[in-house]
């Protein structure tokens, strides 16, 4: 009899309990679950969550609206314009003159003999006040090349002369100087440094027309 009454009470309690796992639609927990479901739901056509997509749109608008200013160097100076000719990069006075190899042979031969020493000077040269280019017009290729006296001296110092030409090409100042007068490095016979601020370049070529 007593056991029957206990079972009846337990059955009555189970019938009065709310269903397990269900949340009242008026409870704060139910409202929180709705907001979380809306936030995680993807926006139509994007695949991004509803709360993430607006943030992405704002970030993209900020990037598009940002002004495209060129990067400035740390020292605040504007970058060099690589489209300008070399004469504007180096502060040197490039001059030219025409001469005959037979009248300048002594100076040219002496300069060729000093090629080994002049190679080291070319490597260390970063600034010059004056660059004089002497065109030995009768020694140009179209005229048959240098006279025998100069040609033989060039052959005698063939390796040094070749290295000198390479160093001139590698030196921005000197390369821009000869390039401004359309002189090829392979036409350079010798260089002579009269003083720390001046160099004379002897070229077996004719000046540009």
């Amino acid at each position: 009899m007593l056991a029957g009454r206990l079972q009846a009470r337990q059955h009555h309690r189970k019938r009065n309990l709310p269903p397990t796992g269900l949340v009242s639609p008026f409870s704060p927990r139910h409202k929180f679950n709705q907001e979380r479901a809306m936030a995680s739901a993807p926006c139509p056509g994007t695949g991004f969550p509803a709360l993430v997509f607006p943030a992405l749109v704002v970030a993209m608008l900020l990037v598009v609206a940002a002004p495209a200013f060129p990067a400035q160097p740390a020292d605040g100076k504007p970058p060099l314009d690589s489209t300008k000719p070399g004469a504007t990069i180096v502060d040197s006075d490039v001059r030219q003159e025409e001469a005959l190899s037979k009248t300048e042979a002594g100076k040219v031969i002496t300069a060729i003999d000093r090629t080994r020493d002049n190679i080291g000077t070319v490597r260390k040269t970063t600034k010059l006040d004056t660059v004089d280019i002497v065109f030995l017009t009768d020694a140009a290729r179209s005229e048959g090349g240098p006279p025998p006296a100069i040609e033989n001296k060039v052959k005698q110092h063939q390796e040094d002369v070749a290295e000198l030409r390479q160093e001139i090409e590698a030196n921005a100042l000197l390369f821009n100087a000869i390039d401004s007068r359309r002189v090829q490095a392979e036409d350079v016979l010798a260089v002579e440094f009269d003083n720390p601020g001046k160099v004379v370049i002897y070229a077996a070529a004719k000046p540009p027309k």
Side-chain angles (χ1 to χ4, degrees), residues 124-185:
K124 295 182 291 185
T125 298
T126 58
K127 183 178 180 180
L128 289 170
D129 297 327
T130 307
V131 178
D132 288 338
I133 300 177
V134 179
F135 288 93
L136 303 175
T137 55
D138 61 335
R141 299 179 188 178
S142 59
E143 300 296 327
I150 296 178
E151 183 67 24
N152 291 335
K153 185 61 66 172
V154 171
K155 291 180 179 179
Q156 181 181 347
H157 298 274
Q158 183 175 357
E159 294 183 359
D160 290 342
V161 172
E163 185 176 350
L164 173 67
R165 293 168 176 171
Q166 292 177 355
E167 293 296 334
I168 290 176
E169 288 183 324
N171 186 296
L173 189 154
L174 295 178
F175 176 78
N176 285 323
I178 65 173
D179 186 63
S180 67
R181 297 299 185 270
R182 298 185 181 180
V183 176
Q184 298 182 6

Side-chain angles (χ1 to χ4, degrees), residues 28-84:
R29 182 180 177 186
H30 178 75
K31 183 177 181 181
F32 173 76
N33 290 340
Q34 283 186 325
E35 292 177 350
R36 186 170 60 179
M38 292 176 63
S40 60
C43 288
T46 64
F48 293 104
L51 293 182
V52 176
F53 182 69
L56 291 176
V57 173
V58 173
M60 293 175 63
L61 291 176
L62 291 176
V63 172
V64 173
F69 293 110
Q72 294 290 336
D75 57 3
K77 297 180 180 180
L80 290 176
D81 187 354
S82 60
T83 62
K84 294 182 179 180

